[in-house]
Amino acid sequence: MTNGQAEHPSAIRAVGLVKTYRGSTGEIEAVRGVDLEVRSGEVFGFLGPNGAGKSTTVRMLTTLMTITAGSAHVAGVDVAADPDGARHKIGVALQEAGLDPRQTGRELLTLQARLFGMSSSEAAARAEELLELVELTDAGDRRIKGYSGGMKRRLDLASALVHRPDVLFLDEPTTGLDPASRLTVWAEVRRINQLGTTVFLTTQYLEEADQLCDRIAIIDQGRIVREGTPSALKDDLARRRGDGTTPTLDDVFLDATGRTRVQVDGDVKEIQA
Amino acid sequence: MNHSLTLGLRAMRETLRTPDSLVPTLLIPLFFLVVNIGQAGRIFPSDDTDFLNGQNYAAFQLPSSLLLAASFGGAALYLVEEIEGGYFDKLRATPIPRMSIVLGRLYAEFVKSVGITALMIAISLALGVRIESGVAGFVLLVVMVSIWAMVFSGFMQLIALKTRSAAATQAGGLVFFPLLFLTPNFVPRNLLTRPMEVAATLNPVTYVMEACRSLILDGFDATALGKGAVVIAAAGALMLGLSVRLINRYD
């Protein structure tokens, strides 16, 4: 999965990251002191239950949201002090592919390239190259409105890669996709990573994390509760359980987030610990 | 090319691809123009009504319809759609001045308004209206109305940025709507009842309307045009200042 780099300088480094909002019920602490270290060249999975602070953390790291306290560097750039510098280094594909349905795929990519400072001819060439990369060349001149969910995701991925970012943030890239489209996105993510891009991936699908990620972190209630390689986390749980069974990443997730799994009449139910 | 212009071209393309969105912007003001002429045209005959300067009542009504057409705020509705759909965040993640996102849409609104205003004036010429200030006055009239369309859309975009909701943006637009009617849109200010005259005098839109009307009925009236320009410039400066503040603090 990794490029096998000899050194692992930090692609992402967050220290004591905090985000508080003023909500109708008072101050809400969405992220409560997150420390993260993502190595250059790896695929890093960021997991957590709904509302755990995953997307808020991603939005802070990608300059889309202000940081209440703490600091974050992406590709060596302080995202709060130099947001434009950081934007040159990162690619962002957020939840529910944010695309302009009235443009064609090619127009969207060309526009994105122009906004990253490329000339018209450079932008056109880059758009062509990316359409090929995500296998959308034939659909490139069709309006995005008519794309399937999987095509939109792939186009969103391509648009995040326009400026050849060092770090790619993918926020739940396969949510809502059918299994075939999901596999296609996984293949794209692997390919992008093999080309040297660090990938920071949030997902609710533990199988996805297990398949794609070198290391993962699990966030719950705004705090990191586990961090390590999938196999190390599973081994750790197996050791703690000591019952000889082999835990899955689902078990690790449920254990880490304070939930447990019980069999009731053949159905799997999730309950609060 | 400047990022605002790049985004403006994109917004223009979007407008051309959704021609149905232009239909209400054109037809509703024309409907009001025709209905108002039909209802009040005989009350104000051209040869017996001083404030018409020998023209028919359509010439007096035209500025109201032009300003109504400039007050649909289409740019804000597209913007809020992008906020809800997530593309706005995609644009915010690019290394461009955030204000470019607002300005791009306003440039497109200007171009759109130039087309609609020119078309409405052309239709009114067929109804017997003359532009007293000539071709230069026609151009000034189109430019003035189109800049006002940008300003109005800018305020609507502020609502879109603040509320991030299409429903709230559409409802928010209604707050501005009475301003169009608390004006001397049927008769000159001196013929209004006292309370309406006070309201119209306090309403900045009045001066934009009177500036537009002066070009149609009187020629170049420096006082009327000056007041209209000051109102447009002040409202524009306020809109731009608030937009910069809001989009740079958008979280």
Side-chain angles (χ1 to χ4, degrees), chain B residues 5-79:
Chain B
L5 286 178
T6 305
L7 288 168
L9 288 173
R10 195 254 325 190
M12 281 304 304
R13 196 161 57 216
E14 183 177 74
T15 303
L16 293 172
R17 285 178 183 173
T18 48
D20 46 323
S21 70
L22 296 176
V23 173
T25 313
L26 186 64
L27 288 191
I28 293 174
L30 280 176
F31 171 79
F32 274 108
L33 181 67
V34 171
V35 166
N36 290 341
I37 295 166
Q39 288 189 352
R42 285 179 66 185
I43 304 170
F44 304 111
S46 53
D47 51 0
D48 200 21
T49 308
D50 285 348
F51 64 78
L52 293 179
N53 284 356
Q55 293 214 51
N56 66 30
Y57 189 62
F60 189 87
Q61 270 291 308
L62 180 59
S64 308
S65 290
L66 295 180
L67 292 180
L68 178 60
S71 306
F72 275 78
L77 298 177
Y78 284 123
L79 176 68

Side-chain angles (χ1 to χ4, degrees), chain A residues 41-218:
Chain A
E42 72 180 342
V43 179
F44 188 87
F46 198 49
L47 319 178
N50 288 334
K54 293 190 301 289
S55 291
T56 305
T57 304
V58 169
R59 292 177 77 79
M60 284 192 282
L61 293 173
T62 53
T63 77
L64 292 173
M65 194 174 262
T66 54
I67 295 170
T68 307
S71 68
H73 288 75
V74 178
V77 181
D78 185 327
V79 298
D82 182 12
D84 273 350
R87 287 174 196 138
H88 277 287
K89 304 274 188 184
I90 62 180
V92 185
L94 296 172
Q95 271 183 42
E96 292 169 13
L99 301 167
D100 177 358
R102 295 183 194 92
Q103 293 188 81
T104 66
R106 189 184 306 280
E107 285 167 350
L108 184 119
L109 294 175
T110 307
L111 174 70
Q112 194 76 2
R114 298 284 281 137
L115 298 180
F116 274 95
M118 292 182 204
S119 68
S120 295
S121 54
E122 285 169 344
R126 184 66 179 145
E128 188 61 50
E129 199 178 308
L130 287 167
L131 285 171
E132 213 168 297
L133 178 78
V134 295
E135 293 167 17
L136 285 175
T137 306
D138 290 344
D141 294 314
R142 273 167 43 200
R143 301 223 187 130
I144 295 164
K145 197 169 143 187
Y147 283 19
S148 69
M151 289 163 81
K152 284 181 184 166
R153 286 287 179 191
R154 273 146 55 208
L155 182 66
D156 197 23
L157 259 180
S159 76
L161 295 170
V162 150
H163 53 299
R164 299 180 178 86
D166 293 344
V167 182
L168 178 64
F169 287 89
L170 302 175
D171 195 8
E172 302 194 10
T174 59
T175 298
L177 295 188
D178 61 59
S181 302
R182 184 173 299 170
L183 289 176
T184 312
V185 171
W186 287 4
E188 295 298 341
V189 172
R190 286 194 188 101
R191 187 150 38 139
I192 290 161
N193 178 245
Q194 277 158 10
L195 292 171
T197 308
T198 304
V199 179
F200 185 97
L201 172 93
T202 78
T203 181
Q204 303 230 35
Y205 303 120
L206 301 167
E207 185 201 356
E208 183 164 285
D210 217 358
Q211 289 283 326
L212 288 176
C213 300
D214 299 304
R215 288 192 310 128
I216 61 167
I218 299 172

Side-chain angles (χ1 to χ4, degrees), chain A residues 224-272:
Chain A
I224 301 286
V225 290
R226 294 283 187 283
E227 190 174 345
T229 63
S231 57
L233 292 173
K234 285 185 260 188
D235 290 348
D236 171 66
L237 182 60
R239 218 172 15 256
R240 284 191 286 114
R241 287 209 298 215
D243 58 3
T245 58
T246 309
T248 62
L249 203 52
D250 291 41
D251 298 320
V252 172
F253 181 86
L254 295 170
D255 172 68
T257 55
R259 291 163 176 82
T260 186
R261 183 187 267 186
V262 291
Q263 290 287 134
V264 180
D265 297 330
D267 293 323
V268 174
K269 288 196 174 179
E270 214 179 85
I271 57 165
Q272 278 302 127

Side-chain angles (χ1 to χ4, degrees), chain B residues 54-136:
Chain B
Q55 293 214 51
N56 66 30
Y57 189 62
F60 189 87
Q61 270 291 308
L62 180 59
S64 308
S65 290
L66 295 180
L67 292 180
L68 178 60
S71 306
F72 275 78
L77 298 177
Y78 284 123
L79 176 68
V80 80
E81 192 184 305
E82 278 180 4
I83 291 173
E84 289 184 334
Y87 189 59
F88 181 68
D89 279 336
K90 193 106 195 153
L91 294 175
R92 286 201 309 132
T94 62
I96 59 170
R98 297 200 168 182
M99 195 55 191
S100 301
I101 304 170
V102 168
L103 288 177
R105 291 214 164 274
L106 294 186
Y107 292 167
E109 192 69 21
F110 177 82
V111 176
K112 186 175 88 179
S113 181
V114 165
I116 286 175
T117 306
L119 183 59
M120 285 185 66
I121 295 173
I123 291 169
S124 72
L125 293 180
L127 295 172
V129 173
R130 292 189 319 277
I131 307 296
E132 197 60 37
S133 51
V135 175

Side-chain angles (χ1 to χ4, degrees), chain B residues 28 42 70 89 97 151 160 177 186 188 194 213 238 242 244:
Chain B
I28 293 174
R42 285 179 66 185
D89 279 336
V151 172
F177 230 57
F186 279 101
R194 184 66 188 148
R213 189 170 285 149
L238 178 67
L242 291 173
V244 168

Side-chain angles (χ1 to χ4, degrees), chain A residues 17-40:
Chain A
L17 216 50
V18 173
K19 182 67 189 180
T20 54
Y21 301 102
R22 226 174 294 142
S24 53
T25 53
E27 197 139 281
I28 299 160
E29 268 193 300
V31 176
R32 311 173 176 197
V34 162
D35 296 323
L36 274 176
E37 185 95 33
V38 178
R39 295 172 200 143
S40 187

